[in-house]
Amino acid sequence: EVALQVPDKQVESVCPFCGVGCQLSYNIRDNRILWIEGRDGPANQGRLCVKGRYGFDYAHHPQRLTQPLIRRAGVPKDPHAEMDPARVMEFFREASWDEALTLAGGKLRELRDRHGPQALAGFGSAKGSNEEAYLFQKLVRAGFGSNNVDHCTRLCHASSVAALLEGIGSGAVSNPVMDVAKAEVILLIGANPTVNHPVAATWMKNAVKNGTRLILMDPRKSDLARHAHRYLQFKPDTDVALLNALMHVIVHEGLVDEAFIASRTIGYEDLKANVEGYSPEAMAPICGIDAETLRDVARLYATAKASMILWGMGISQHVHGTDNARCLIALALMTGQIGRPGTGLHPLRGQNNVQGASDAGLIPMMYPDYQRVDAPGARERFERAWNMAPGTLAVQPGLTVVEVMHAIQAGTVRGMYIMGENPAMSDPDVNHARESLAALEHLVIQDIFFTETAYLADVILPASAFPEKTGTFTNTDRLVQLGRQAIDPPGDARQDLWIIQQIAQRLGLTWNYTDVSEVFDEMRGTMPSIGGITWERLEREHSVTYPCRHEGDPGEPVVFVDGFPREGGRGRFVPADIIPADERPDAAYPMVLITGRQLEHWHTGSMTRRASMLDAIEPDPVALVHPLDIEALGCKPGDVITIESRRGSVSLYARADDSSPRGSVFAPFCYYEAAANKLTNSALDPIGKIPEFKYCAVRVVPGGPE
Ligand code: SF4
């Protein structure tokens, strides 16, 4: 029926799901999306995965929020009740925008004035545009008066970014994904691109077809193992042992690039001394990879003309996530495999705009463009740019996502404004997170659906979905791309930029941006990395890569050609030693839980589980378990099992999966009826402050609740 309809317009935009940033066209008729086509964008060249192609009708779902809502008087917030969108009106009543905004902003202002700026915190969104992220962090800094602003980068690559800033002075990728075509060797670790960055995975497969050697290292044998020259199924949590062993080989066999080390780095002697204790023979029993394989892989990586490292959250989501990334950086620096096409370091960014939201300053210790809030001169620069009196902005770094949840229970944070994030599903140990959210005196939610977090709100502000607004989005390759409005928001839902400004006004800020391009222009003025990108150029060319410092700059897809943006232009080696996972298996909880995503569903599922085709393919909560472990439980594939940790339990269907190592279980975190994050551990990497989603102790038992 849809195919027979003729669109009345086509709108060129970008995919709203992952960081690959595929360009697409919406085919529209009567304010409805009929179908999607891929465009010839730099990252996708016409390709789309199942989410980009079929995951669009969430925007038309009947559960869209279309009217502001206020919690009914006397209705308690129960953090342990299962949320049911069909019952929303039992807990909330409809309100006018004026009433909802007056309550939302007025109460935030009252808490700030009575208890001080630290009483408030805000979570922005990596799903929103750069302009939304920028205005949101500006609102928290200028309106709340603190740096208590964060978003889901804290849950995905915060540790990678911390290590990259420390080691090479920039938290973004050095080379685009497409550079795999120019690499002789791809080292892919802790990532499953076929599922999480599907179009990027196709470029890797194409490269392999053309002779590139893929080295895949991951405890889970993902689909790309079929295309790999070497696949190393190392034991979960042994990344540092494995990577230090590779470096030991490179040092001992004289495969280092001495000229590069001498002219472009500092700290090599400390690194060299540290890896001395990590011989392949000593590390083989720890990481489960034999010494000869470790030697072979080290030689392949070090001696190739161009080797490129890509990684995902298998590296970053550990209490030693920063150390894992430090090892990858050291590998590239010691071999000079960076600063040229087909080399470098590429943390595969997850959300469609997690790179841009981080760049725009949606993080508690950084202003836009990674200017530290406590660095000399930074505060003064932003006070001038934002027309604020000297000494107004806070210099103390703010609280991160998980720290905010603890601060609520300590009584420090009393009110929150959350735009487009769902911490009641995405935080570790969500039972604790939900208790924290329920304990807030005032919670304002801005979203498109009644999420698990919205269930605990005082005021809900109905916002715009991706195709309902215009803005820029930065993909994993540092490509700033224009997403264009294709349809109108439903009912009385409003554009997010308008809502942020309304809240700002009620906090006493006198903002009046009439067009998204005005916000982008202000960003250019405070962010040297995008200073040369004009709105007109984006409208004309659709996308521009940063750094682009001056108008007319072509942009730099490959960076660090001559130096690193840190002291003396030199990269820094930072040695790392083995730090075990926070919670190891024991007699009571003998298995390891690894959480992650599925191809068809995105993050907490609020969009993709309401996309009819995606939900039809993966409708029910599943856990992936090795077939022999299923048998050992006395179960068969498809049976219900219950996974229990010290923090909670969930019941779901067992799916036989021989890619999972024995003794482990993999659970996606998108299913509200079996929220995997009820099980996870909130222990943090001390530097990146990222939780250990990739490792905690669980036990698995047959059956579900009575
Ligand atoms: Fe969208 Fe990512 Fe799929 Fe591309 S690969 S279509 S950006 S989800």
Side-chain angles (χ1 to χ4, degrees):
E1 187 190 335
V2 164
L4 292 174
Q5 294 187 45
V6 179
D8 53 31
K9 66 175 176 180
Q10 268 205 333
V11 179
E12 296 180 321
S13 191
V14 191
C15 174
F17 292 109
C18 91
V20 175
C22 297
Q23 292 189 4
L24 51 74
S25 291
Y26 290 109
N27 289 278
I28 308 294
R29 186 180 180 88
D30 299 334
N31 204 39
R32 289 188 76 82
I33 304 166
L34 298 179
W35 72 85
I36 302 271
E37 288 166 290
R39 280 200 293 145
D40 189 17
N44 63 315
Q45 297 181 6
R47 300 178 184 188
L48 292 175
C49 78
V50 66
K51 287 190 288 287
R53 194 173 295 282
Y54 299 113
F56 57 84
D57 61 347
Y58 72 90
H60 304 303
H61 197 280
Q63 287 175 353
R64 278 292 302 275
L65 295 168
T66 57
Q67 188 74 30
L69 300 172
I70 291 176
R71 178 170 289 273
R72 291 181 187 278
V75 174
K77 300 175 181 178
D78 180 356
H80 301 296
E82 290 306 322
M83 188 276 298
D84 179 359
R87 296 177 58 199
V88 57
M89 298 316 292
E90 284 179 34
F91 308 110
F92 294 86
R93 65 173 175 81
E94 291 190 344
S96 69
W97 270 104
D98 192 46
E99 183 190 10
L101 288 165
T102 300
L103 176 61
K107 181 81 179 175
L108 288 171
R109 184 176 185 150
E110 183 192 317
L111 289 171
R112 178 198 67 187
D113 294 346
R114 189 167 351 129
H115 301 286
Q118 296 302 330
L120 300 180
F123 292 165
S125 174
K127 275 261 162 281
S129 68
N130 288 325
E131 295 73 25
E132 290 161 4
Y134 176 85
L135 272 201
F136 191 90
Q137 61 86 35
K138 182 176 172 181
L139 180 143
V140 170
R141 295 192 154 108
F144 291 2
S146 77
N147 289 306
N148 290 341
V149 62
D150 208 354
H151 76 296
C152 71
T153 190
R154 194 65 43 207
L155 308 177
C156 64
H157 266 305
S159 47
S160 306
V161 171
L164 288 163
L165 285 168
E166 168 193 72
I168 56 176
S170 165
V173 303
S174 68
N175 296 58
V177 170
M178 281 289 188
D179 258 25
V180 294
K182 298 171 185 156
E184 237 177 60
V185 166
I186 302 168
L187 195 160
L188 178 68
I189 180 166
N192 186 358
T194 316
V195 165
N196 299 320
H197 303 84
V199 168
T202 68
W203 303 122
M204 295 176 199
K205 290 182 215 172
N206 286 166
V208 169
K209 253 190 188 162
N210 292 328
T212 299
R213 289 175 166 183
L214 172 65
I215 300 167
L216 178 64
M217 306 201 287
D218 200 302
R220 297 187 65 235
K221 189 176 181 181
S222 62
D223 176 67
L224 277 178
R226 292 189 292 122
H227 305 267
H229 175 69
R230 300 302 301 250
Y231 168 56
L232 277 58
Q233 188 167 30
F234 64 95
K235 294 181 190 171
D237 192 42
T238 63
D239 318 65
V240 168
L242 172 83
L243 296 169
N244 275 348
L246 299 182
M247 287 192 268
H248 178 101
V249 174
I250 291 168
V251 170
H252 273 253
E253 299 195 4
L255 304 178
V256 295
D257 184 336
E258 287 178 1
F260 190 93
I261 291 170
S263 63
R264 301 275 308 264
T265 70
I266 56 169
Y268 176 63
E269 289 306 320
D270 289 345
L271 189 280
K272 185 179 170 188
N274 191 61
V275 300
E276 189 56 32
Y278 289 86
S279 71
E281 286 72 20
M283 293 305 106
I286 295 174
C287 66
I289 305 296
D290 66 85
E292 206 37 52
T293 301
L294 291 169
R295 289 185 196 287
D296 184 37
V297 164
R299 290 172 194 141
L300 276 169
Y301 175 78
T303 60
K305 285 199 185 76
S307 290
M308 183 171 176
I309 299 176
L310 300 101
W311 72 93
M313 286 164 227
I315 281 288
S316 58
Q317 290 177 334
H318 287 280
V319 290
H320 47 81
T322 304
D323 281 339
N324 292 348
R326 284 169 169 163
C327 290
L328 296 174
I329 295 163
L331 262 175
L333 292 179
M334 74 193 319
T335 52
Q337 296 283 18
I338 191 163
R340 291 174 282 119
T343 66
L345 296 159
H346 191 118
L348 287 154
R349 305 310 303 259
Q351 293 266 17
N352 62 329
N353 198 37
V354 69
Q355 182 65 58
S358 303
D359 298 342
L362 214 52
I363 34 184
M365 55 295 279
M366 311 275 189
Y367 288 122
D369 241 6
Y370 305 96
Q371 304 174 59
R372 280 200 65 93
V373 294
D374 48 5
R379 167 163 75 162
E380 290 73 16
R381 273 196 297 283
F382 280 91
E383 284 168 347
R384 275 195 302 278
W386 296 345
N387 292 320
M388 298 179 71
T392 320
L393 289 172
V395 283
Q396 182 191 354
L399 298 170
T400 59
V401 167
V402 176
E403 288 173 337
V404 167
M405 295 301 153
H406 292 310
I408 295 168
Q409 298 219 354
T412 320
V413 170
R414 295 163 181 264
M416 283 195 75
Y417 176 21
I418 300 179
M419 173 183 76
E421 290 228 329
N422 192 7
M425 281 289 285
S426 60
D427 269 26
D429 188 8
V430 285
N431 283 327
H432 175 269
R434 291 175 187 184
E435 285 163 11
S436 296
L437 292 164
L440 283 165
E441 288 176 38
H442 186 53
L443 174 58
V444 179
I445 293 296
Q446 178 173 325
D447 215 310
I448 62 173
F449 290 114
F450 186 66
T451 62
E452 293 73 12
T453 307
Y455 173 70
L456 300 169
D458 294 280
V459 185
I460 302 175
L461 306 173
S464 42
F466 190 94
E468 295 160 4
K469 56 194 173 187
T470 293
T472 62
F473 299 83
T474 306
N475 82 344
T476 189
D477 296 332
R478 294 180 271 107
L479 196 61
V480 181
Q481 311 201 89
L482 195 55
R484 295 178 176 85
Q485 182 174 359
I487 53 175
D488 297 323
D492 212 6
R494 299 288 175 92
Q495 302 258 331
D496 293 78
L497 277 184
W498 180 85
I499 303 172
I500 299 168
Q501 284 201 75
Q502 293 297 315
I503 296 285
Q505 284 166 12
R506 282 156 179 85
L507 285 159
L509 300 168
T510 51
W511 295 355
N512 189 20
Y513 302 91
T514 54
D515 190 82
V516 60
S517 62
E518 288 174 32
V519 182
F520 184 78
D521 278 344
E522 182 177 314
M523 290 174 65
R524 288 177 59 203
T526 62
M527 298 173 64
S529 65
I530 60 164
I533 304 177
T534 64
W535 192 261
E536 296 69 35
R537 184 170 169 193
L538 284 168
E539 285 188 323
R540 197 173 58 246
E541 298 178 14
H542 310 292
S543 58
V544 181
T545 301
Y546 78 78
C548 176
R549 295 197 167 81
H550 308 287
E551 288 186 27
D553 274 2
E556 295 175 47
V558 178
V559 290
F560 316 139
V561 175
D562 301 313
F564 297 102
R566 62 182 307 286
E567 219 180 320
R570 288 170 178 262
R572 179 181 163 205
F573 288 101
V574 182
D577 282 313
I578 295 171
I579 297 171
D582 180 73
E583 186 185 57
R584 309 278 304 174
D586 55 20
Y589 296 92
M591 294 184 77
V592 173
L593 173 73
I594 303 171
T595 64
R597 284 167 282 173
Q598 286 176 296
L599 171 62
E600 291 78 7
H601 288 305
W602 188 255
H603 275 224
T604 67
S606 58
M607 290 158 67
T608 52
R609 294 201 74 199
R610 292 177 174 97
S612 54
M613 291 205 203
L614 301 178
D615 193 50
I617 300 171
E618 283 288 5
D620 294 314
V622 289
L624 276 56
V625 190
H626 194 282
L628 295 176
D629 284 340
I630 293 181
E631 200 180 307
L633 286 169
C635 296
K636 44 187 199 319
D639 284 357
V640 173
I641 57 171
T642 297
I643 309 175
E644 300 168 347
S645 80
R646 289 184 175 83
R647 294 156 292 278
S649 71
V650 297
S651 298
L652 21 61
Y653 296 102
R655 180 175 290 174
D657 173 43
D658 59 12
S659 75
S660 296
R662 289 215 56 188
S664 77
V665 51
F666 176 86
F669 63 97
C670 58
Y671 295 100
Y672 64 87
E673 62 274 51
N677 278 321
K678 285 184 177 173
L679 307 165
T680 48
N681 184 0
S682 63
L684 301 181
D685 173 300
I687 299 155
K689 304 284 176 76
I690 194 169
E692 193 156 55
F693 288 118
K694 288 289 184 274
Y695 200 102
C696 72
V698 294
R699 65 175 164 238
V700 181
V701 295
E706 291 300 313

